[in-house]
Amino acid sequence: MTVVWISHAASEGHVTPEGHPERIERMAAVEAALDGLPLERRYAPMAADAEVLRCHPQSHLDRIRRAEPVEGIVGLDPDTWMSPGSFEAAMRAVGGTCAAVDLVLAGEASSAFVGCRPPGHHAEREKPMGFCLFGSVAIAARRALDHHGLGRVAVVDFDVHHGNGTQDLLWDEGRALFVSSHQMPLYPGTGAVDERGAHGQILNLPLAPGSGSAEMREAWEAAFRRIEDWQPELILISAGFDAHAADPLANLNWREEDFRWLTGRLCDLAAASCGGRVVSTLEGGYDLAALAASSAAHVGVLLERSA
Ligand SMILES: [Zn+2]
């Protein structure tokens, strides 16, 4: 079956300041890495406002829409910027992730990778932060639950930074298991093991700076049992590649092989519980070569498992 790759040129219309790690060039790196793989390309559609409102209040959507400058760039905080085109880019990142859910749940694709920017997992209910404007993966999870009527989904976040936004948006959502591994201490500072969600459905896996393959595999083994017990009807992945040893923003020592291993194990779980249905969406990854190699490794596994 098909693996769909969802992207849009609007991702390159979101401009950040000179020297900012979350930059336009990330898209070309991913593009070059995935080009030539037998993926089915789709353009990310704009999300309807109602999709964003699954997780954010109208006031947040209005604030982001109004914050977009007519020219130049504006900072919403020291990390999070908007340029002309940022709103469309963010709405297509949300729309692309929702479209991926639709395609996979319709059986038109076995899995999907959404390669859009800005990323989403730091955006809280009423607060853009950490390069993120809207919580794309949490919104897509809610779409799977509320629009498609699934009873249980799992959202898995292996970005090196804690998915505080996803945790905030899904804190009360008893139908969504959220599992995040992340370096601790590190931005944004959340993600301790005692943050468990309103229904005990959040599992945080903090990893020590300097740790690598052995430590991440041990932490994830425990999480796999939790995901297996959850019996998700869809697995959504916040795929950040900034735990890579070469990444400039953090100090974990993962390699491509670790992303390949983790993706494979998540595909095993999806095969056992939900016919292999996986929707993965790009989060971080700031060393361009490592981002390219790691995203190719990740998507390569999705392809192998779809055969
Ligand atoms: Zn990150």
Side-chain angles (χ1 to χ4, degrees):
M1 248 232 292
T2 315
V3 178
V4 171
W5 171 19
I6 297 180
S7 62
H8 198 281
S11 288
E12 297 181 299
H14 169 57
V15 182
T16 52
E18 183 75 32
H20 195 289
E22 205 294 286
R23 58 203 192 276
I24 290 171
E25 290 79 4
R26 297 180 65 235
M27 289 293 95
V30 172
E31 192 86 14
L34 302 188
D35 197 31
L37 296 179
L39 300 159
E40 185 181 320
R41 294 296 297 267
R42 300 278 182 110
Y43 291 121
M46 288 284 281
D49 286 8
E51 297 302 329
V52 175
L53 300 178
R54 292 185 190 281
C55 285
H56 299 280
Q58 183 73 49
S59 57
H60 177 79
L61 176 58
D62 292 345
R63 177 190 170 193
I64 300 300
R65 184 179 267 127
R66 290 195 199 110
E68 183 177 275
V70 175
E71 59 182 38
I73 55 173
V74 293
L76 306 183
D77 67 29
D79 300 315
T80 314
W81 294 77
M82 289 185 75
S83 71
S86 292
F87 184 75
E88 179 181 347
M91 290 298 270
R92 289 193 188 277
V94 173
T97 314
C98 289
V101 165
D102 293 354
L103 286 165
V104 168
L105 293 184
E108 293 179 41
S110 54
S111 59
F113 178 73
V114 185
C116 290
R117 57 183 286 278
H121 74 147
H122 292 308
E124 297 187 346
R125 207 172 294 259
E126 299 187 66
K127 188 178 181 189
M129 61 181 280
F131 320 157
C132 304
L133 303 176
F134 302 121
S136 302
V137 79
I139 292 167
R142 275 266 166 75
R143 181 171 174 84
L145 294 164
D146 292 338
H147 178 75
H148 292 284
L150 298 193
R152 290 176 315 285
V153 300
V155 180
V156 173
D157 185 331
F158 58 73
D159 188 280
V160 79
H161 303 96
H162 179 237
N164 64 293
T166 307
Q167 174 169 293
D168 180 52
L169 300 176
L170 298 178
W171 185 265
D172 297 324
E173 179 49 81
R175 300 167 295 173
L177 174 69
F178 176 54
V179 184
S180 173
S181 73
H182 40 271
Q183 179 181 320
M184 182 172 260
L186 188 66
Y187 181 91
T190 50
V193 292
D194 62 357
E195 297 166 25
R196 299 181 196 278
H199 307 276
Q201 86 291 4
I202 290 173
L203 177 60
N204 281 305
L205 308 170
L207 298 167
S211 66
S213 182
E215 292 86 351
M216 73 80 95
R217 293 182 191 219
E218 186 182 348
W220 275 102
E221 287 291 352
F224 295 148
R225 289 192 287 278
R226 185 75 184 277
I227 298 169
E228 187 174 19
D229 290 345
W230 190 259
Q231 288 290 300
E233 296 164 273
L234 173 69
I235 295 180
L236 297 114
I237 301 176
S238 265
F241 300 103
D242 41 8
H244 194 284
D247 197 274
L249 263 57
N251 305 99
L252 294 191
N253 289 310
W254 298 17
R255 307 279 176 184
E256 289 93 286
E257 195 48 44
D258 296 309
F259 293 107
R260 197 187 315 277
W261 173 82
L262 181 49
T263 308
R265 294 297 299 272
L266 293 171
C267 286
D268 290 343
L269 290 163
S273 71
C274 55
R277 302 196 294 205
V278 171
V279 167
S280 175
T281 188
L282 179 66
E283 300 286 359
Y286 304 102
D287 177 87
L288 296 183
L291 170 63
S294 305
S295 54
H298 174 66
V299 175
V301 173
L302 297 182
L303 272 169
E304 288 164 21
R305 298 310 179 95
S306 73

mmCIF file with all atom_site columns, all heavy atoms in Angstrom, residues 121 159-161 242 284 286, ligand 1:
data_model
loop_
_atom_site.group_PDB
_atom_site.id
_atom_site.type_symbol
_atom_site.label_atom_id
_atom_site.label_alt_id
_atom_site.label_comp_id
_atom_site.label_asym_id
_atom_site.label_entity_id
_atom_site.label_seq_id
_atom_site.pdbx_PDB_ins_code
_atom_site.Cartn_x
_atom_site.Cartn_y
_atom_site.Cartn_z
_atom_site.occupancy
_atom_site.B_iso_or_equiv
_atom_site.pdbx_formal_charge
_atom_site.auth_seq_id
_atom_site.auth_comp_id
_atom_site.auth_asym_id
_atom_site.auth_atom_id
_atom_site.pdbx_PDB_model_num
ATOM   1  N  N   . HIS A 1 121 ? 4.467  21.108 18.241 1.00 0.00 ? 121 HIS A N   1
ATOM   2  C  CA  . HIS A 1 121 ? 4.249  20.445 19.537 1.00 0.00 ? 121 HIS A CA  1
ATOM   3  C  C   . HIS A 1 121 ? 4.492  21.298 20.774 1.00 0.00 ? 121 HIS A C   1
ATOM   4  O  O   . HIS A 1 121 ? 4.187  20.860 21.881 1.00 0.00 ? 121 HIS A O   1
ATOM   5  C  CB  . HIS A 1 121 ? 5.038  19.128 19.615 1.00 0.00 ? 121 HIS A CB  1
ATOM   6  C  CG  . HIS A 1 121 ? 6.514  19.286 19.795 1.00 0.00 ? 121 HIS A CG  1
ATOM   7  N  ND1 . HIS A 1 121 ? 7.266  18.378 20.505 1.00 0.00 ? 121 HIS A ND1 1
ATOM   8  C  CD2 . HIS A 1 121 ? 7.380  20.249 19.361 1.00 0.00 ? 121 HIS A CD2 1
ATOM   9  C  CE1 . HIS A 1 121 ? 8.532  18.765 20.500 1.00 0.00 ? 121 HIS A CE1 1
ATOM   10 N  NE2 . HIS A 1 121 ? 8.627  19.875 19.805 1.00 0.00 ? 121 HIS A NE2 1
ATOM   11 N  N   . ASP A 1 159 ? 10.729 13.988 19.558 1.00 0.00 ? 159 ASP A N   1
ATOM   12 C  CA  . ASP A 1 159 ? 11.540 15.205 19.466 1.00 0.00 ? 159 ASP A CA  1
ATOM   13 C  C   . ASP A 1 159 ? 12.348 15.345 20.766 1.00 0.00 ? 159 ASP A C   1
ATOM   14 O  O   . ASP A 1 159 ? 11.890 14.929 21.827 1.00 0.00 ? 159 ASP A O   1
ATOM   15 C  CB  . ASP A 1 159 ? 10.608 16.411 19.279 1.00 0.00 ? 159 ASP A CB  1
ATOM   16 C  CG  . ASP A 1 159 ? 11.350 17.696 18.990 1.00 0.00 ? 159 ASP A CG  1
ATOM   17 O  OD1 . ASP A 1 159 ? 11.864 18.323 19.945 1.00 0.00 ? 159 ASP A OD1 1
ATOM   18 O  OD2 . ASP A 1 159 ? 11.418 18.080 17.808 1.00 0.00 ? 159 ASP A OD2 1
ATOM   19 N  N   . VAL A 1 160 ? 13.534 15.945 20.674 1.00 0.00 ? 160 VAL A N   1
ATOM   20 C  CA  . VAL A 1 160 ? 14.406 16.035 21.860 1.00 0.00 ? 160 VAL A CA  1
ATOM   21 C  C   . VAL A 1 160 ? 13.836 16.972 22.922 1.00 0.00 ? 160 VAL A C   1
ATOM   22 O  O   . VAL A 1 160 ? 14.218 16.909 24.084 1.00 0.00 ? 160 VAL A O   1
ATOM   23 C  CB  . VAL A 1 160 ? 15.839 16.453 21.456 1.00 0.00 ? 160 VAL A CB  1
ATOM   24 C  CG1 . VAL A 1 160 ? 15.928 17.963 21.201 1.00 0.00 ? 160 VAL A CG1 1
ATOM   25 C  CG2 . VAL A 1 160 ? 16.851 16.024 22.511 1.00 0.00 ? 160 VAL A CG2 1
ATOM   26 N  N   . HIS A 1 161 ? 12.925 17.848 22.508 1.00 0.00 ? 161 HIS A N   1
ATOM   27 C  CA  . HIS A 1 161 ? 12.274 18.757 23.461 1.00 0.00 ? 161 HIS A CA  1
ATOM   28 C  C   . HIS A 1 161 ? 10.921 18.179 23.874 1.00 0.00 ? 161 HIS A C   1
ATOM   29 O  O   . HIS A 1 161 ? 10.223 17.582 23.052 1.00 0.00 ? 161 HIS A O   1
ATOM   30 C  CB  . HIS A 1 161 ? 12.072 20.138 22.814 1.00 0.00 ? 161 HIS A CB  1
ATOM   31 C  CG  . HIS A 1 161 ? 13.340 20.758 22.330 1.00 0.00 ? 161 HIS A CG  1
ATOM   32 N  ND1 . HIS A 1 161 ? 13.762 20.652 21.015 1.00 0.00 ? 161 HIS A ND1 1
ATOM   33 C  CD2 . HIS A 1 161 ? 14.286 21.465 22.989 1.00 0.00 ? 161 HIS A CD2 1
ATOM   34 C  CE1 . HIS A 1 161 ? 14.917 21.289 20.892 1.00 0.00 ? 161 HIS A CE1 1
ATOM   35 N  NE2 . HIS A 1 161 ? 15.266 21.789 22.068 1.00 0.00 ? 161 HIS A NE2 1
ATOM   36 N  N   . ASP A 1 242 ? 15.866 16.186 16.396 1.00 0.00 ? 242 ASP A N   1
ATOM   37 C  CA  . ASP A 1 242 ? 16.889 16.960 17.092 1.00 0.00 ? 242 ASP A CA  1
ATOM   38 C  C   . ASP A 1 242 ? 17.519 16.219 18.275 1.00 0.00 ? 242 ASP A C   1
ATOM   39 O  O   . ASP A 1 242 ? 18.363 16.782 18.969 1.00 0.00 ? 242 ASP A O   1
ATOM   40 C  CB  . ASP A 1 242 ? 16.343 18.334 17.525 1.00 0.00 ? 242 ASP A CB  1
ATOM   41 C  CG  . ASP A 1 242 ? 14.937 18.285 18.073 1.00 0.00 ? 242 ASP A CG  1
ATOM   42 O  OD1 . ASP A 1 242 ? 14.403 17.171 18.279 1.00 0.00 ? 242 ASP A OD1 1
ATOM   43 O  OD2 . ASP A 1 242 ? 14.342 19.362 18.294 1.00 0.00 ? 242 ASP A OD2 1
ATOM   44 N  N   . GLY A 1 284 ? 11.041 19.024 15.141 1.00 0.00 ? 284 GLY A N   1
ATOM   45 C  CA  . GLY A 1 284 ? 12.346 19.662 15.059 1.00 0.00 ? 284 GLY A CA  1
ATOM   46 C  C   . GLY A 1 284 ? 13.375 18.873 14.265 1.00 0.00 ? 284 GLY A C   1
ATOM   47 O  O   . GLY A 1 284 ? 13.060 17.861 13.620 1.00 0.00 ? 284 GLY A O   1
ATOM   48 N  N   . TYR A 1 286 ? 17.645 20.285 13.486 1.00 0.00 ? 286 TYR A N   1
ATOM   49 C  CA  . TYR A 1 286 ? 18.232 21.569 13.084 1.00 0.00 ? 286 TYR A CA  1
ATOM   50 C  C   . TYR A 1 286 ? 19.618 21.466 12.469 1.00 0.00 ? 286 TYR A C   1
ATOM   51 O  O   . TYR A 1 286 ? 20.169 22.473 12.029 1.00 0.00 ? 286 TYR A O   1
ATOM   52 C  CB  . TYR A 1 286 ? 18.190 22.536 14.280 1.00 0.00 ? 286 TYR A CB  1
ATOM   53 C  CG  . TYR A 1 286 ? 16.760 22.656 14.768 1.00 0.00 ? 286 TYR A CG  1
ATOM   54 C  CD1 . TYR A 1 286 ? 16.311 21.988 15.906 1.00 0.00 ? 286 TYR A CD1 1
ATOM   55 C  CD2 . TYR A 1 286 ? 15.818 23.354 14.015 1.00 0.00 ? 286 TYR A CD2 1
ATOM   56 C  CE1 . TYR A 1 286 ? 14.982 22.045 16.307 1.00 0.00 ? 286 TYR A CE1 1
ATOM   57 C  CE2 . TYR A 1 286 ? 14.487 23.415 14.399 1.00 0.00 ? 286 TYR A CE2 1
ATOM   58 C  CZ  . TYR A 1 286 ? 14.076 22.755 15.550 1.00 0.00 ? 286 TYR A CZ  1
ATOM   59 O  OH  . TYR A 1 286 ? 12.760 22.792 15.927 1.00 0.00 ? 286 TYR A OH  1
HETATM 60 ZN ZN  . ZN  B 2 .   ? 12.771 19.953 19.295 1.00 0.00 ? 1   ZN  B ZN  1
#
